[in-house]
Amino acid sequence: MEGPWEEKRKRPRRSFSDEYKAEVVELCRTSDKSIPEVARDLGFGVTAVRRWVAQADIDAGRRRG
């Protein structure tokens, strides 16, 4: 039995280098724009960018992980 959800094709998952993610995190921290604005401008989902920022904070010891 096929439903309408089976007809949709998922977009392939994109992957980005750690260096690129670090640049996006830096942009979030240094620009006057909010995370949702940065994500929208770069064509990312807000959740992905928030995760990158959170992981950068964990890696730097500024946040518990």
Side-chain angles (χ1 to χ4, degrees):
M1 184 168 152
E2 284 189 33
W5 59 89
E6 293 181 37
E7 294 174 15
K8 283 187 174 182
R9 299 226 180 235
K10 281 190 169 184
R11 181 174 62 187
R13 178 166 280 197
R14 300 181 290 175
S15 63
F16 302 95
S17 69
D18 291 340
E19 293 80 14
Y20 184 75
K21 291 177 186 179
E23 288 179 23
V24 173
V25 169
E26 187 65 21
L27 181 60
C28 290
R29 290 182 175 154
T30 60
S31 73
D32 293 336
K33 295 182 177 185
S34 66
I35 290 175
E37 289 172 319
V38 171
R40 184 181 57 242
D41 290 349
L42 297 175
F44 295 124
V46 174
T47 304
V49 177
R50 284 191 200 281
R51 259 190 264 127
W52 296 351
V53 171
Q55 187 62 54
D57 287 344
I58 291 167
D59 293 346
R62 289 189 289 258
R63 182 178 182 169
R64 291 182 66 187

